[in-house]
Amino acid sequence: MADFAAACRRQGIKATRQRLEILRELAATGEHPDAETIFRRVRKRIPAISLDTVYRTLRTLEEKSVIARVPSLKDRARFDANLDRHHHFVCAVCGRIDDFYSAALDGFVPPRAVADLGAVESVHVELRGRCRKCQIAGKKKK
Amino acid sequence: MADFAAACRRQGIKATRQRLEILRELAATGEHPDAETIFRRVRKRIPAISLDTVYRTLRTLEEKSVIARVPSLKDRARFDANLDRHHHFVCAVCGRIDDFYSAALDGFVPPRAVADLGAVESVHVELRGRCRKCQIAGKKKK
DNA sequence: CTTTCTGCAAACAATTTGCAGCACG
DNA sequence: CGTGCTGCAAATTGTTTGCAGAAAG
């Protein structure tokens, strides 16, 4: 835990009790909990903590790259008329999503370790990057 | 378009004007629009259509497997203290997420076609399936 | 001591739902 | 013609934000 306190200071943010506990809770589990779940658990140790603080702290720690958010398109749902097996290239700048196909991925065999987790039904790959248009726009600014 | 009308009837749902237009709009583009975007476009043809109908229709069509939703954890954000490069196995039943590592995926080279789309910065694979626990629970019910 | 947090309550945005009239089959 | 669909408005849910007091360095 002392590491976390140090990590906070290194990032220039105060190592408050709530932050330490939220961080501890997240580091202690591999189940990728959501804010509400973390809130419930941390509350056992800090009964007065508020859900808002949990949200705020998670955001802060994410911005400081102390933790990560499970990749997901969150904000708004997007739809697709393409029902074939395919994958997506997502532009991190403008949000544009393009389809792509890959024989290599279609033939992907999960590592043995995955067999212990459960039965795989589908494979979806998400490449993140910067689309052509945004690459050009980015260069112009510089 | 006649195909769509047929597809609707085959699924046992009425082929209304709004459904046909929403479907046409989605099929006409590869950009994976969200509900609001579809709404704006369809409104040009059916000015009286409501956003609710668009949401409802997209949901219905998705349930009937006429269209698909871009995979995403949507509902709630989930956090991760693991900052190493890794991938996820998501249980479609209980939502549990497990990490896994794959040298094969880490060495994945996107197909040439992707180079035209943009610059790839990260690769994230999401396996969907049924976790051990849910597999067992499912069998018991039967 | 001063700046940065926290807790609270209210604000927000995306999406869903109950209801009464209208349209498809 | 009857059942399912649409439009409207209100409800829900996850998440963010403004503010005043509290705490970390």
Side-chain angles (χ1 to χ4, degrees), chain A residues 14 16 18-19 48-50 52-53 56 76-77:
Chain A
K14 295 187 178 178
T16 62
Q18 15 289 77
R19 283 179 180 161
I49 197 172
S50 76
D52 321 273
T53 296
R56 213 160 3 198
R76 346 163 76 101

Side-chain angles (χ1 to χ4, degrees), chain A residues 3-139:
Chain A
D3 298 352
F4 293 140
C8 284
R9 292 200 202 87
R10 204 177 313 128
Q11 297 298 330
I13 60 176
K14 295 187 178 178
T16 62
R17 174 122 189 273
Q18 15 289 77
R19 283 179 180 161
L20 274 290
E21 290 295 350
I22 288 170
L23 211 36
R24 178 220 294 282
E25 200 53 59
L26 198 56
T29 178
E31 65 180 272
H32 313 76
D34 57 37
E36 188 94 29
T37 303
I38 295 172
F39 171 60
R40 279 198 303 275
R41 292 181 189 168
V42 170
R43 194 152 52 159
K44 291 178 190 166
R45 293 168 163 277
I46 313 180
I49 197 172
S50 76
L51 178 56
D52 321 273
T53 296
V54 175
Y55 271 110
R56 213 160 3 198
T57 299
L58 289 169
R59 179 100 88 94
T60 304
L61 295 177
E62 185 199 355
E63 282 165 3
K64 302 293 182 183
S65 298
V66 177
I67 64 171
R69 186 180 292 254
V70 176
S72 127
L73 273 29
K74 238 202 56 56
D75 48 328
R76 346 163 76 101
R78 289 161 148 271
F79 300 86
D80 197 343
N82 179 358
L83 297 180
D84 296 336
R85 175 161 53 173
H86 67 281
H87 306 283
H88 292 123
F89 172 87
V90 181
C91 177
V93 180
C94 68
R96 180 189 173 80
I97 301 177
D98 286 295
D99 290 347
F100 76 91
Y101 297 84
S102 164
L105 290 177
D106 292 348
F108 171 69
V109 178
R112 314 137 211 78
V114 172
D116 296 333
L117 300 176
V120 175
E121 285 161 10
S122 71
V123 179
H124 175 246
V125 176
E126 206 173 282
L127 302 182
R128 294 201 174 236
R130 180 170 291 232
C131 75
R132 261 284 159 70
K133 202 174 289 179
C134 289
Q135 283 183 68
I136 296 169
K139 282 176 187 167

Side-chain angles (χ1 to χ4, degrees), chain B:
Chain B
M1 285 310 294
D3 297 352
F4 292 140
C8 284
R9 290 198 204 88
R10 206 177 310 129
Q11 297 299 329
I13 60 176
K14 295 187 178 178
T16 63
R17 176 120 188 275
Q18 15 291 76
R19 281 177 183 164
L20 274 291
E21 290 295 350
I22 289 170
L23 211 36
R24 177 219 295 281
E25 199 53 57
L26 197 55
T29 178
E31 64 179 275
H32 313 75
D34 56 38
E36 189 92 31
T37 302
I38 295 171
F39 171 59
R40 280 197 304 274
R41 294 183 187 165
V42 171
R43 193 153 53 160
K44 291 178 191 165
R45 293 169 162 275
I46 313 179
I49 197 172
S50 75
L51 178 56
D52 320 274
T53 298
V54 175
Y55 271 111
R56 213 160 1 197
T57 300
L58 290 170
R59 179 100 88 93
T60 304
L61 295 178
E62 186 200 352
E63 282 165 3
K64 302 294 183 185
S65 299
V66 177
I67 64 172
R69 183 181 295 252
V70 177
S72 125
L73 273 31
K74 240 205 52 57
D75 48 329
R76 342 161 83 100
R78 289 162 147 268
F79 300 86
D80 197 342
N82 179 358
L83 298 179
D84 296 337
R85 174 161 54 173
H86 67 281
H87 306 283
H88 293 124
F89 171 87
V90 182
C91 177
V93 180
C94 67
R96 181 189 173 80
I97 300 178
D98 285 295
D99 291 346
F100 75 92
Y101 298 85
S102 164
L105 290 177
D106 293 346
F108 171 67
V109 178
R112 314 137 211 76
V114 172
D116 295 334
L117 300 177
V120 175
E121 286 161 10
S122 70
V123 180
H124 176 244
V125 177
E126 207 173 282
L127 302 181
R128 291 197 178 242
R130 180 170 290 232
C131 75
R132 261 283 158 70
K133 202 174 290 179
C134 290
Q135 283 184 67
I136 297 168
K139 282 176 187 168
K140 281 183 181 169
K141 280 182 189 166
K142 292 178 186 176

